[in-house]
C-alpha cells in the first residue's frame, strides 16, 4: 500500500489495482462494459432516428406540394359531331309492352284499383248500414217524412244522390290519377 503524497497524516491509504480484491475488479469491469453497451445502444438509437428523419425528409421532398401539383386537363372527344343515342321514350315502352312499360301500367292500374275499392267499401257500408241501423233502432221505423216511413224515404230517395256523389268523386279522383301518371311519363322522357 502506498500513501497519497498530497494527503494528510490521518488520510486513508490509496489502494492500487493489484492490491484490490478480485471481486471488486470484476464488478468494475462489468460496470464499464454496461456503460459501453449503453453508449453503443444510444449511438444505434441516434443513428436510427437520423435515418428515419432522412427518410421522412426524402419522402416530403418527393411528394408534390399543393401549389406544385399538375393542373387538371379536360379531355374531350374529337367526335363532337357524332350522332347521339336517341332517347327511348316511356310512351314507346308502354306501347311496345316492355317490362318497364308493364311496370308503369301496373302502377296505374293498382292505383285505380285501390281507389275503386275505397269507393265501393264506403258505399257498401252505407247501403248495408242503413237497413242494419233501422233494424237495431225500431223507433226510427216509426218516424214518417211527408207521410212516407223514414226507411222507405232514405232507401228509395236519398240513397241515389249518395251514389251519384260517390260516382262523381270516383271519376274526379280517377282522372287526377291519370293526370299524375301522364306527368310521370312526360317527365321520364
Amino acid at each position: 500500500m502506498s500513501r497519497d503524497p498530497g494527503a494528510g497524516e490521518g488520510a486513508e491509504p490509496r489502494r492500487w489495482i493489484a492490491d484490490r480484491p478480485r471481486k471488486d475488479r470484476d464488478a468494475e469491469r462489468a460496470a464499464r462494459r454496461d456503460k459501453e453497451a449503453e453508449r453503443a445502444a444510444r449511438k444505434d438509437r441516434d443513428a436510427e432516428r437520423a435515418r428515419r428523419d432522412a427518410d421522412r425528409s426524402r419522402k416530403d421532398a418527393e411528394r408534390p406540394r399543393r401549389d406544385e401539383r399538375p393542373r387538371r386537363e379536360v379531355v374531350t372527344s374529337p367526335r363532337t359531331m357524332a350522332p347521339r343515342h336517341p332517347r327511348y321514350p316511356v310512351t314507346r315502352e308502354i306501347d311496345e309492352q316492355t317490362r318497364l312499360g308493364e311496370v308503369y301500367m301496373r302502377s296505374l292500374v293498382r292505383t285505380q284499383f285501390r281507389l275503386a275499392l275505397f269507393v265501393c267499401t264506403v258505399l257498401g257500408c252505407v247501403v248495408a248500414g242503413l237497413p242494419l241501423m233501422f233494424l237495431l233502432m225500431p223507433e226510427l221505423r216509426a218516424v214518417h217524412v211527408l207521410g212516407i216511413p223514414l226507411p222507405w224515404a232514405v232507401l228509395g230517395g236519398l240513397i241515389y244522390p249518395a251514389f251519384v256523389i260517390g260516382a262523381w268523386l270516383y271519376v274526379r279522383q280517377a282522372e287526377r290519377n291519370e293526370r299524375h301518371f301522364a306527368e310521370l311519363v312526360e317527365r321520364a322522357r
Side-chain angles (χ1 to χ4, degrees):
M1 278 211 290
S2 69
R3 294 198 177 251
D4 192 9
E9 286 287 325
E12 184 90 16
R14 212 166 132 189
R15 295 185 177 202
W16 297 99
I17 293 178
D19 295 343
R20 291 187 186 158
R22 185 175 179 95
K23 210 190 289 184
D24 288 343
R25 282 185 297 198
D26 290 343
E28 207 171 279
R29 283 184 194 144
R32 260 189 258 130
R33 269 182 284 172
D34 289 346
K35 284 183 183 178
E36 288 172 11
E38 189 177 314
R39 272 190 229 121
R42 191 177 309 127
K43 192 175 184 182
D44 288 345
R45 278 194 307 264
D46 290 345
E48 178 68 22
R49 188 177 299 131
R51 186 183 58 75
R52 269 189 278 143
D53 289 344
D55 285 348
R56 190 177 302 132
S57 64
R58 183 173 37 84
K59 285 179 184 176
D60 288 344
E62 289 173 0
R63 187 177 336 145
R65 294 192 178 134
R66 288 185 184 182
D67 52 341
E68 295 176 3
R69 288 188 181 162
R71 303 184 100 208
R72 291 186 180 190
E73 295 181 23
V74 177
V75 179
T76 59
S77 171
R79 297 178 49 202
T80 56
M81 298 305 290
R84 297 185 186 257
H85 294 285
R87 294 194 67 178
Y88 206 64
V90 176
T91 53
R92 189 171 169 190
E93 296 274 352
I94 294 170
D95 292 340
E96 292 180 2
Q97 296 179 349
T98 62
R99 284 194 169 177
L100 181 61
E102 287 177 15
V103 169
Y104 276 111
M105 287 308 296
R106 207 174 322 139
S107 71
L108 175 64
V109 169
R110 195 176 297 137
T111 304
Q112 298 292 46
F113 183 67
R114 263 190 254 124
L115 175 63
L117 277 178
F118 175 74
V119 170
C120 288
T121 303
V122 169
L123 288 177
C125 288
V126 169
V127 169
L130 285 174
L132 188 64
M133 182 178 72
F134 292 130
L135 182 70
L136 295 175
M137 297 181 194
E139 61 271 358
L140 287 178
R141 284 186 279 178
V143 176
H144 290 283
V145 176
L146 300 174
I148 303 171
L150 182 64
W152 284 99
V154 170
L155 292 174
L158 296 178
I159 199 76
Y160 293 109
F163 281 153
V164 169
I165 291 172
W168 177 75
L169 289 173
Y170 170 76
V171 169
R172 187 172 158 203
Q173 188 63 38
E175 288 174 349
R176 183 179 296 157
N177 288 343
E178 289 174 1
R179 273 196 310 275
H180 285 299
F181 178 76
E183 289 172 5
L184 175 72
V185 169
E186 287 298 318
R187 205 175 326 133
R189 278 188 172 182

PDB file of all heavy atoms in Angstrom, residues 58-84:
ATOM      1  N   ARG A  58     -36.866  12.919 -47.240  1.00  0.00           N
ATOM      2  CA  ARG A  58     -36.794  12.497 -48.644  1.00  0.00           C
ATOM      3  C   ARG A  58     -38.206  12.306 -49.202  1.00  0.00           C
ATOM      4  O   ARG A  58     -38.515  12.748 -50.303  1.00  0.00           O
ATOM      5  CB  ARG A  58     -35.995  11.211 -48.778  1.00  0.00           C
ATOM      6  CG  ARG A  58     -35.814  10.748 -50.220  1.00  0.00           C
ATOM      7  CD  ARG A  58     -34.885   9.557 -50.359  1.00  0.00           C
ATOM      8  NE  ARG A  58     -34.967   8.581 -49.307  1.00  0.00           N
ATOM      9  CZ  ARG A  58     -35.868   7.584 -49.238  1.00  0.00           C
ATOM     10  NH1 ARG A  58     -36.774   7.481 -50.166  1.00  0.00           N
ATOM     11  NH2 ARG A  58     -35.859   6.723 -48.245  1.00  0.00           N
ATOM     12  N   LYS A  59     -39.095  11.672 -48.404  1.00  0.00           N
ATOM     13  CA  LYS A  59     -40.475  11.474 -48.852  1.00  0.00           C
ATOM     14  C   LYS A  59     -41.192  12.804 -49.016  1.00  0.00           C
ATOM     15  O   LYS A  59     -41.957  12.997 -49.954  1.00  0.00           O
ATOM     16  CB  LYS A  59     -41.239  10.601 -47.865  1.00  0.00           C
ATOM     17  CG  LYS A  59     -40.872   9.153 -47.939  1.00  0.00           C
ATOM     18  CD  LYS A  59     -41.651   8.358 -46.929  1.00  0.00           C
ATOM     19  CE  LYS A  59     -41.213   6.898 -46.926  1.00  0.00           C
ATOM     20  NZ  LYS A  59     -41.898   6.134 -45.891  1.00  0.00           N
ATOM     21  N   ASP A  60     -40.946  13.729 -48.086  1.00  0.00           N
ATOM     22  CA  ASP A  60     -41.566  15.049 -48.209  1.00  0.00           C
ATOM     23  C   ASP A  60     -41.078  15.771 -49.458  1.00  0.00           C
ATOM     24  O   ASP A  60     -41.842  16.485 -50.109  1.00  0.00           O
ATOM     25  CB  ASP A  60     -41.276  15.902 -46.965  1.00  0.00           C
ATOM     26  CG  ASP A  60     -42.056  15.437 -45.751  1.00  0.00           C
ATOM     27  OD1 ASP A  60     -43.025  14.664 -45.936  1.00  0.00           O
ATOM     28  OD2 ASP A  60     -41.694  15.823 -44.617  1.00  0.00           O
ATOM     29  N   ALA A  61     -39.822  15.572 -49.785  1.00  0.00           N
ATOM     30  CA  ALA A  61     -39.283  16.227 -50.969  1.00  0.00           C
ATOM     31  C   ALA A  61     -39.858  15.604 -52.239  1.00  0.00           C
ATOM     32  O   ALA A  61     -40.086  16.292 -53.235  1.00  0.00           O
ATOM     33  CB  ALA A  61     -37.762  16.120 -50.978  1.00  0.00           C
ATOM     34  N   GLU A  62     -40.126  14.292 -52.213  1.00  0.00           N
ATOM     35  CA  GLU A  62     -40.679  13.611 -53.385  1.00  0.00           C
ATOM     36  C   GLU A  62     -42.144  13.968 -53.599  1.00  0.00           C
ATOM     37  O   GLU A  62     -42.618  14.014 -54.725  1.00  0.00           O
ATOM     38  CB  GLU A  62     -40.549  12.097 -53.236  1.00  0.00           C
ATOM     39  CG  GLU A  62     -39.133  11.599 -53.344  1.00  0.00           C
ATOM     40  CD  GLU A  62     -39.024  10.113 -53.033  1.00  0.00           C
ATOM     41  OE1 GLU A  62     -40.070   9.494 -52.745  1.00  0.00           O
ATOM     42  OE2 GLU A  62     -37.912   9.585 -53.079  1.00  0.00           O
ATOM     43  N   ARG A  63     -42.897  14.179 -52.535  1.00  0.00           N
ATOM     44  CA  ARG A  63     -44.320  14.472 -52.632  1.00  0.00           C
ATOM     45  C   ARG A  63     -44.511  15.894 -53.162  1.00  0.00           C
ATOM     46  O   ARG A  63     -43.942  16.840 -52.623  1.00  0.00           O
ATOM     47  CB  ARG A  63     -44.963  14.353 -51.253  1.00  0.00           C
ATOM     48  CG  ARG A  63     -46.462  14.479 -51.296  1.00  0.00           C
ATOM     49  CD  ARG A  63     -47.108  14.299 -49.961  1.00  0.00           C
ATOM     50  NE  ARG A  63     -46.312  13.526 -49.028  1.00  0.00           N
ATOM     51  CZ  ARG A  63     -46.270  13.739 -47.719  1.00  0.00           C
ATOM     52  NH1 ARG A  63     -46.989  14.685 -47.198  1.00  0.00           N
ATOM     53  NH2 ARG A  63     -45.530  13.010 -46.925  1.00  0.00           N
ATOM     54  N   PRO A  64     -45.336  16.026 -54.216  1.00  0.00           N
ATOM     55  CA  PRO A  64     -45.538  17.386 -54.743  1.00  0.00           C
ATOM     56  C   PRO A  64     -46.384  18.208 -53.780  1.00  0.00           C
ATOM     57  O   PRO A  64     -47.284  17.704 -53.146  1.00  0.00           O
ATOM     58  CB  PRO A  64     -46.277  17.154 -56.064  1.00  0.00           C
ATOM     59  CG  PRO A  64     -46.913  15.822 -55.917  1.00  0.00           C
ATOM     60  CD  PRO A  64     -46.049  15.039 -54.974  1.00  0.00           C
ATOM     61  N   ARG A  65     -46.059  19.450 -53.700  1.00  0.00           N
ATOM     62  CA  ARG A  65     -46.832  20.337 -52.843  1.00  0.00           C
ATOM     63  C   ARG A  65     -48.108  20.729 -53.560  1.00  0.00           C
ATOM     64  O   ARG A  65     -48.247  20.570 -54.766  1.00  0.00           O
ATOM     65  CB  ARG A  65     -46.002  21.569 -52.512  1.00  0.00           C
ATOM     66  CG  ARG A  65     -44.811  21.199 -51.665  1.00  0.00           C
ATOM     67  CD  ARG A  65     -44.154  22.412 -51.084  1.00  0.00           C
ATOM     68  NE  ARG A  65     -43.048  21.975 -50.255  1.00  0.00           N
ATOM     69  CZ  ARG A  65     -41.862  22.517 -50.290  1.00  0.00           C
ATOM     70  NH1 ARG A  65     -41.620  23.542 -51.078  1.00  0.00           N
ATOM     71  NH2 ARG A  65     -40.912  22.051 -49.517  1.00  0.00           N
ATOM     72  N   ARG A  66     -49.039  21.265 -52.812  1.00  0.00           N
ATOM     73  CA  ARG A  66     -50.347  21.603 -53.385  1.00  0.00           C
ATOM     74  C   ARG A  66     -50.230  22.582 -54.545  1.00  0.00           C
ATOM     75  O   ARG A  66     -50.885  22.452 -55.555  1.00  0.00           O
ATOM     76  CB  ARG A  66     -51.261  22.194 -52.323  1.00  0.00           C
ATOM     77  CG  ARG A  66     -51.718  21.163 -51.359  1.00  0.00           C
ATOM     78  CD  ARG A  66     -52.692  21.722 -50.410  1.00  0.00           C
ATOM     79  NE  ARG A  66     -53.023  20.679 -49.430  1.00  0.00           N
ATOM     80  CZ  ARG A  66     -53.868  20.804 -48.472  1.00  0.00           C
ATOM     81  NH1 ARG A  66     -54.511  21.926 -48.331  1.00  0.00           N
ATOM     82  NH2 ARG A  66     -54.112  19.825 -47.635  1.00  0.00           N
ATOM     83  N   ASP A  67     -49.377  23.556 -54.385  1.00  0.00           N
ATOM     84  CA  ASP A  67     -49.271  24.544 -55.437  1.00  0.00           C
ATOM     85  C   ASP A  67     -48.419  24.043 -56.603  1.00  0.00           C
ATOM     86  O   ASP A  67     -48.416  24.640 -57.667  1.00  0.00           O
ATOM     87  CB  ASP A  67     -48.715  25.863 -54.883  1.00  0.00           C
ATOM     88  CG  ASP A  67     -47.415  25.670 -54.112  1.00  0.00           C
ATOM     89  OD1 ASP A  67     -47.151  24.526 -53.698  1.00  0.00           O
ATOM     90  OD2 ASP A  67     -46.673  26.649 -53.924  1.00  0.00           O
ATOM     91  N   GLU A  68     -47.704  22.922 -56.408  1.00  0.00           N
ATOM     92  CA  GLU A  68     -46.865  22.374 -57.459  1.00  0.00           C
ATOM     93  C   GLU A  68     -47.540  21.230 -58.205  1.00  0.00           C
ATOM     94  O   GLU A  68     -46.972  20.682 -59.121  1.00  0.00           O
ATOM     95  CB  GLU A  68     -45.552  21.876 -56.859  1.00  0.00           C
ATOM     96  CG  GLU A  68     -44.694  22.978 -56.275  1.00  0.00           C
ATOM     97  CD  GLU A  68     -43.450  22.422 -55.605  1.00  0.00           C
ATOM     98  OE1 GLU A  68     -43.247  21.202 -55.661  1.00  0.00           O
ATOM     99  OE2 GLU A  68     -42.705  23.202 -55.022  1.00  0.00           O
ATOM    100  N   ARG A  69     -48.737  20.813 -57.804  1.00  0.00           N
ATOM    101  CA  ARG A  69     -49.412  19.701 -58.466  1.00  0.00           C
ATOM    102  C   ARG A  69     -49.762  20.094 -59.894  1.00  0.00           C
ATOM    103  O   ARG A  69     -50.066  21.259 -60.172  1.00  0.00           O
ATOM    104  CB  ARG A  69     -50.682  19.317 -57.712  1.00  0.00           C
ATOM    105  CG  ARG A  69     -50.370  18.625 -56.425  1.00  0.00           C
ATOM    106  CD  ARG A  69     -51.608  18.093 -55.800  1.00  0.00           C
ATOM    107  NE  ARG A  69     -51.247  17.448 -54.529  1.00  0.00           N
ATOM    108  CZ  ARG A  69     -52.089  17.175 -53.574  1.00  0.00           C
ATOM    109  NH1 ARG A  69     -53.350  17.476 -53.722  1.00  0.00           N
ATOM    110  NH2 ARG A  69     -51.690  16.578 -52.482  1.00  0.00           N
ATOM    111  N   PRO A  70     -49.786  19.105 -60.770  1.00  0.00           N
ATOM    112  CA  PRO A  70     -50.127  19.447 -62.161  1.00  0.00           C
ATOM    113  C   PRO A  70     -51.583  19.882 -62.268  1.00  0.00           C
ATOM    114  O   PRO A  70     -52.432  19.405 -61.536  1.00  0.00           O
ATOM    115  CB  PRO A  70     -49.887  18.134 -62.913  1.00  0.00           C
ATOM    116  CG  PRO A  70     -49.886  17.070 -61.880  1.00  0.00           C
ATOM    117  CD  PRO A  70     -49.455  17.714 -60.597  1.00  0.00           C
ATOM    118  N   ARG A  71     -51.846  20.776 -63.184  1.00  0.00           N
ATOM    119  CA  ARG A  71     -53.197  21.277 -63.363  1.00  0.00           C
ATOM    120  C   ARG A  71     -54.033  20.215 -64.048  1.00  0.00           C
ATOM    121  O   ARG A  71     -53.539  19.421 -64.846  1.00  0.00           O
ATOM    122  CB  ARG A  71     -53.183  22.545 -64.208  1.00  0.00           C
ATOM    123  CG  ARG A  71     -52.303  23.614 -63.602  1.00  0.00           C
ATOM    124  CD  ARG A  71     -52.382  24.865 -64.388  1.00  0.00           C
ATOM    125  NE  ARG A  71     -53.312  25.709 -63.643  1.00  0.00           N
ATOM    126  CZ  ARG A  71     -54.052  26.631 -64.174  1.00  0.00           C
ATOM    127  NH1 ARG A  71     -54.000  26.845 -65.458  1.00  0.00           N
ATOM    128  NH2 ARG A  71     -54.850  27.353 -63.431  1.00  0.00           N
ATOM    129  N   ARG A  72     -55.312  20.233 -63.763  1.00  0.00           N
ATOM    130  CA  ARG A  72     -56.230  19.293 -64.396  1.00  0.00           C
ATOM    131  C   ARG A  72     -56.480  19.713 -65.836  1.00  0.00           C
ATOM    132  O   ARG A  72     -56.575  20.898 -66.134  1.00  0.00           O
ATOM    133  CB  ARG A  72     -57.554  19.243 -63.656  1.00  0.00           C
ATOM    134  CG  ARG A  72     -57.435  18.619 -62.316  1.00  0.00           C
ATOM    135  CD  ARG A  72     -58.789  18.487 -61.734  1.00  0.00           C
ATOM    136  NE  ARG A  72     -58.711  17.866 -60.415  1.00  0.00           N
ATOM    137  CZ  ARG A  72     -59.740  17.449 -59.737  1.00  0.00           C
ATOM    138  NH1 ARG A  72     -60.942  17.597 -60.223  1.00  0.00           N
ATOM    139  NH2 ARG A  72     -59.601  16.880 -58.564  1.00  0.00           N
ATOM    140  N   GLU A  73     -56.617  18.700 -66.683  1.00  0.00           N
ATOM    141  CA  GLU A  73     -56.907  18.981 -68.076  1.00  0.00           C
ATOM    142  C   GLU A  73     -58.230  18.326 -68.435  1.00  0.00           C
ATOM    143  O   GLU A  73     -58.515  17.216 -68.012  1.00  0.00           O
ATOM    144  CB  GLU A  73     -55.804  18.424 -68.969  1.00  0.00           C
ATOM    145  CG  GLU A  73     -54.471  19.115 -68.749  1.00  0.00           C
ATOM    146  CD  GLU A  73     -53.400  18.574 -69.666  1.00  0.00           C
ATOM    147  OE1 GLU A  73     -53.757  18.018 -70.725  1.00  0.00           O
ATOM    148  OE2 GLU A  73     -52.230  18.707 -69.328  1.00  0.00           O
ATOM    149  N   VAL A  74     -59.008  19.016 -69.235  1.00  0.00           N
ATOM    150  CA  VAL A  74     -60.284  18.499 -69.682  1.00  0.00           C
ATOM    151  C   VAL A  74     -60.047  17.741 -70.978  1.00  0.00           C
ATOM    152  O   VAL A  74     -59.489  18.281 -71.932  1.00  0.00           O
ATOM    153  CB  VAL A  74     -61.302  19.640 -69.893  1.00  0.00           C
ATOM    154  CG1 VAL A  74     -62.610  19.109 -70.419  1.00  0.00           C
ATOM    155  CG2 VAL A  74     -61.483  20.399 -68.604  1.00  0.00           C
ATOM    156  N   VAL A  75     -60.467  16.490 -70.980  1.00  0.00           N
ATOM    157  CA  VAL A  75     -60.304  15.672 -72.169  1.00  0.00           C
ATOM    158  C   VAL A  75     -61.662  15.545 -72.832  1.00  0.00           C
ATOM    159  O   VAL A  75     -62.633  15.128 -72.197  1.00  0.00           O
ATOM    160  CB  VAL A  75     -59.758  14.271 -71.795  1.00  0.00           C
ATOM    161  CG1 VAL A  75     -59.617  13.416 -73.033  1.00  0.00           C
ATOM    162  CG2 VAL A  75     -58.441  14.400 -71.057  1.00  0.00           C
ATOM    163  N   THR A  76     -61.729  15.919 -74.083  1.00  0.00           N
ATOM    164  CA  THR A  76     -62.997  15.835 -74.809  1.00  0.00           C
ATOM    165  C   THR A  76     -62.828  14.911 -75.996  1.00  0.00           C
ATOM    166  O   THR A  76     -61.724  14.670 -76.477  1.00  0.00           O
ATOM    167  CB  THR A  76     -63.445  17.226 -75.299  1.00  0.00           C
ATOM    168  OG1 THR A  76     -62.427  17.745 -76.156  1.00  0.00           O
ATOM    169  CG2 THR A  76     -63.688  18.167 -74.147  1.00  0.00           C
ATOM    170  N   SER A  77     -63.942  14.405 -76.458  1.00  0.00           N
ATOM    171  CA  SER A  77     -63.921  13.503 -77.608  1.00  0.00           C
ATOM    172  C   SER A  77     -63.725  14.320 -78.882  1.00  0.00           C
ATOM    173  O   SER A  77     -64.343  15.371 -79.048  1.00  0.00           O
ATOM    174  CB  SER A  77     -65.233  12.732 -77.673  1.00  0.00           C
ATOM    175  OG  SER A  77     -65.298  12.015 -78.889  1.00  0.00           O
ATOM    176  N   PRO A  78     -62.912  13.821 -79.789  1.00  0.00           N
ATOM    177  CA  PRO A  78     -62.765  14.552 -81.058  1.00  0.00           C
ATOM    178  C   PRO A  78     -64.015  14.404 -81.936  1.00  0.00           C
ATOM    179  O   PRO A  78     -64.213  15.162 -82.848  1.00  0.00           O
ATOM    180  CB  PRO A  78     -61.551  13.897 -81.710  1.00  0.00           C
ATOM    181  CG  PRO A  78     -61.466  12.548 -81.096  1.00  0.00           C
ATOM    182  CD  PRO A  78     -62.026  12.674 -79.711  1.00  0.00           C
ATOM    183  N   ARG A  79     -64.867  13.444 -81.612  1.00  0.00           N
ATOM    184  CA  ARG A  79     -66.077  13.203 -82.408  1.00  0.00           C
ATOM    185  C   ARG A  79     -67.250  13.989 -81.827  1.00  0.00           C
ATOM    186  O   ARG A  79     -68.217  13.419 -81.347  1.00  0.00           O
ATOM    187  CB  ARG A  79     -66.401  11.721 -82.412  1.00  0.00           C
ATOM    188  CG  ARG A  79     -65.335  10.875 -83.049  1.00  0.00           C
ATOM    189  CD  ARG A  79     -65.671   9.415 -82.980  1.00  0.00           C
ATOM    190  NE  ARG A  79     -67.039   9.186 -83.436  1.00  0.00           N
ATOM    191  CZ  ARG A  79     -67.749   8.126 -83.117  1.00  0.00           C
ATOM    192  NH1 ARG A  79     -67.230   7.205 -82.339  1.00  0.00           N
ATOM    193  NH2 ARG A  79     -68.968   7.970 -83.555  1.00  0.00           N
ATOM    194  N   THR A  80     -67.182  15.281 -81.853  1.00  0.00           N
ATOM    195  CA  THR A  80     -68.269  16.090 -81.292  1.00  0.00           C
ATOM    196  C   THR A  80     -69.502  16.067 -82.164  1.00  0.00           C
ATOM    197  O   THR A  80     -70.594  16.354 -81.706  1.00  0.00           O
ATOM    198  CB  THR A  80     -67.814  17.546 -81.093  1.00  0.00           C
ATOM    199  OG1 THR A  80     -67.346  18.036 -82.345  1.00  0.00           O
ATOM    200  CG2 THR A  80     -66.732  17.639 -80.045  1.00  0.00           C
ATOM    201  N   MET A  81     -69.348  15.725 -83.419  1.00  0.00           N
ATOM    202  CA  MET A  81     -70.486  15.688 -84.330  1.00  0.00           C
ATOM    203  C   MET A  81     -71.085  14.288 -84.423  1.00  0.00           C
ATOM    204  O   MET A  81     -71.928  14.027 -85.277  1.00  0.00           O
ATOM    205  CB  MET A  81     -70.075  16.170 -85.723  1.00  0.00           C
ATOM    206  CG  MET A  81     -69.578  17.618 -85.737  1.00  0.00           C
ATOM    207  SD  MET A  81     -70.754  18.782 -85.027  1.00  0.00           S
ATOM    208  CE  MET A  81     -72.006  18.756 -86.258  1.00  0.00           C
ATOM    209  N   ALA A  82     -70.653  13.394 -83.585  1.00  0.00           N
ATOM    210  CA  ALA A  82     -71.166  12.024 -83.621  1.00  0.00           C
ATOM    211  C   ALA A  82     -72.645  12.028 -83.258  1.00  0.00           C
ATOM    212  O   ALA A  82     -73.083  12.799 -82.407  1.00  0.00           O
ATOM    213  CB  ALA A  82     -70.401  11.150 -82.633  1.00  0.00           C
ATOM    214  N   PRO A  83     -73.427  11.162 -83.911  1.00  0.00           N
ATOM    215  CA  PRO A  83     -74.864  11.133 -83.589  1.00  0.00           C
ATOM    216  C   PRO A  83     -75.081  10.648 -82.160  1.00  0.00           C
ATOM    217  O   PRO A  83     -74.417   9.720 -81.697  1.00  0.00           O
ATOM    218  CB  PRO A  83     -75.444  10.158 -84.607  1.00  0.00           C
ATOM    219  CG  PRO A  83     -74.295   9.295 -85.023  1.00  0.00           C
ATOM    220  CD  PRO A  83     -73.072  10.162 -84.899  1.00  0.00           C
ATOM    221  N   ARG A  84     -75.978  11.284 -81.498  1.00  0.00           N
ATOM    222  CA  ARG A  84     -76.290  10.891 -80.125  1.00  0.00           C
ATOM    223  C   ARG A  84     -77.292   9.753 -80.152  1.00  0.00           C
ATOM    224  O   ARG A  84     -78.073   9.604 -81.074  1.00  0.00           O
ATOM    225  CB  ARG A  84     -76.862  12.077 -79.360  1.00  0.00           C
ATOM    226  CG  ARG A  84     -75.874  13.198 -79.240  1.00  0.00           C
ATOM    227  CD  ARG A  84     -76.422  14.298 -78.383  1.00  0.00           C
ATOM    228  NE  ARG A  84     -75.512  15.423 -78.406  1.00  0.00           N
ATOM    229  CZ  ARG A  84     -74.690  15.699 -77.417  1.00  0.00           C
ATOM    230  NH1 ARG A  84     -74.676  14.976 -76.357  1.00  0.00           N
ATOM    231  NH2 ARG A  84     -73.888  16.747 -77.512  1.00  0.00           N
TER     232      ARG A  84
END
